[in-house]
Amino acid sequence: MRPDGIRVKGHDPMYSLMPYFLTRRYDAMNMITLDIPVAPLHRYINEKRAEGIRLSHLALILAAYVRTTAEFPSLNRFIGGNHKIYAHKELTVGMVVLRPGRNGDTMSKIKFDFTDDIFRVQEKIDAYITENRKVEENNSLDKLMAILLGVPLLAPLLTGILRLLDRFGLLPKVICDISPFHASLLITNLASIRTNHIYHHVYEFGTTSVAVAMGNLREVPKRTKNGIELERCIPLGVVMDERICGGHYFAQAFARMKEYLTTPSLLEGPPRYINPEI
């Protein structure tokens, strides 16, 4: 049994067979752009700032994703190396953090609960960024990579072993716990480095089935009763492994996510409904 997933049974036979035809995540990637109107977010952020509460665009988007996954749990699935569908045991998000005073950056992951609201999500993001920006310390992934690169020929040998173990679901839990590739979601905020959104690949190594890339604000044409108007939006480049659920399911899930971001107050308090996967 995998340490990071639970086998999903009793689903549509078509999705049981699809991983045997589409054997790689990069072979099963679907990509869309979600344009999130920024005006409702800014109003909400300013209201909370007046109450002494600081919120970020990143926290709002992650809180909306957490709440959406609570209702649409198939987003939290992945395909194992044995071509079977699994549900993640946890809801985790891999994210890159830029660190001042040194070259490069670091990557780790945040664990969320389906009951987390916007305020709890912001707390976890703040704690994650503070911990990973410590210049004098490396996180667990940094230390593991330093070991792999410190001995000649060790990196290709051990990474080959890790990939083989991952393929058969035998990777030790301690590795799964520190690996940002074994996560429910990959998110990157490219707006923080003044870059447009992209469609980030989903990694073949690991278990991440959905990637979201936030980009610079842009103006999107919108038809209104007064004609065509431009609406400022946060573009999200979303990449999905189509094998974990149907296109209609994805469409419903991301439509609900946009609803949460149009009315951010819905992200406060416990979710109204949690749909169990297993």
Side-chain angles (χ1 to χ4, degrees):
M1 178 179 290
R2 294 188 63 106
D4 54 354
I6 301 172
R7 175 81 181 279
V8 177
K9 299 180 180 180
H11 46 77
D12 191 321
M14 181 179 72
Y15 288 94
S16 297
L17 287 174
M18 188 178 295
Y20 291 95
F21 293 102
L22 304 177
T23 59
R24 299 288 185 267
R25 286 196 182 90
Y26 54 76
D27 194 29
M29 293 193 306
N30 283 337
M31 292 161 278
I32 61 170
T33 298
L34 298 178
D35 285 304
I36 308 300
V38 76
L41 302 182
H42 282 178
R43 283 195 299 269
Y44 184 73
I45 287 172
N46 289 335
E47 289 172 4
K48 294 304 168 184
R49 184 179 298 160
E51 300 174 12
I53 302 172
R54 185 191 65 82
L55 297 173
S56 65
H57 290 154
L58 175 62
L60 286 165
I61 288 169
L62 274 181
Y65 191 86
V66 169
R67 191 135 296 188
T68 299
T69 306
E71 187 172 349
F72 294 88
S74 294
L75 294 180
N76 204 30
R77 290 177 175 180
F78 66 93
I79 306 299
N82 59 352
H83 310 300
K84 306 299 183 183
I85 301 177
Y86 293 84
H88 283 279
K89 291 183 178 180
E90 299 177 327
L91 177 59
T92 55
V93 176
M95 186 171 70
V96 172
V97 175
L98 299 177
R99 290 191 288 193
R102 62 183 293 171
N103 294 326
D105 44 38
T106 188
M107 185 176 182
S108 186
K109 60 187 177 185
I110 318 174
K111 179 182 176 182
F112 293 104
D113 297 318
F114 291 118
T115 55
D116 286 342
D117 67 359
I118 176 58
F119 308 117
R120 184 62 178 145
V121 168
Q122 183 69 68
E123 289 176 4
K124 289 186 175 182
I125 292 173
D126 291 342
Y128 170 84
I129 292 175
T130 299
E131 180 65 24
N132 282 278
R133 277 185 174 169
K134 291 180 179 178
V135 176
E136 69 278 6
E137 296 182 11
N138 289 328
N139 63 27
S140 299
L141 180 64
D142 295 327
K143 293 174 182 177
L144 177 61
M145 291 190 296
I147 293 173
L148 291 178
L149 295 173
V151 180
L153 302 180
L154 185 60
L157 176 62
L158 283 187
T159 53
I161 293 174
L162 291 176
R163 291 178 66 88
L164 183 64
L165 291 175
D166 183 60
R167 179 180 177 185
F168 291 100
L170 299 175
L171 205 61
K173 186 176 186 299
V174 65
I175 300 295
C176 294
D177 287 343
I178 67 174
S179 167
F181 307 107
H182 293 75
S184 309
L185 171 72
L186 165 70
I187 191 166
T188 179
N189 183 9
L190 298 179
S192 66
I193 55 173
R194 298 179 176 83
T195 302
N196 295 331
H197 73 287
I198 62 170
Y199 300 105
H200 196 291
H201 61 92
V202 285
Y203 305 109
E204 183 57 32
F205 176 70
T207 59
T208 306
S209 298
V210 182
V212 173
M214 303 165 55
N216 287 329
L217 294 181
R218 67 178 185 174
E219 294 184 331
V220 178
K222 178 182 178 182
R223 186 181 297 277
T224 70
K225 62 181 180 180
N226 298 320
I228 302 298
E229 298 180 358
L230 295 178
E231 184 175 48
R232 287 177 64 77
C233 294
I234 299 176
L236 304 179
V238 182
V239 178
M240 306 151 283
D241 183 342
E242 71 165 324
R243 300 173 298 174
I244 63 173
C245 59
H248 180 63
Y249 190 97
F250 273 125
Q252 286 183 310
F254 287 114
R256 182 59 52 86
M257 183 176 171
K258 288 191 70 171
E259 289 178 13
Y260 284 126
L261 292 170
T262 302
T263 311
S265 60
L266 296 175
L267 299 174
E268 298 179 13
R272 292 174 294 178
Y273 179 66
I274 296 180
N275 182 20
E277 169 68 278
I278 303 299

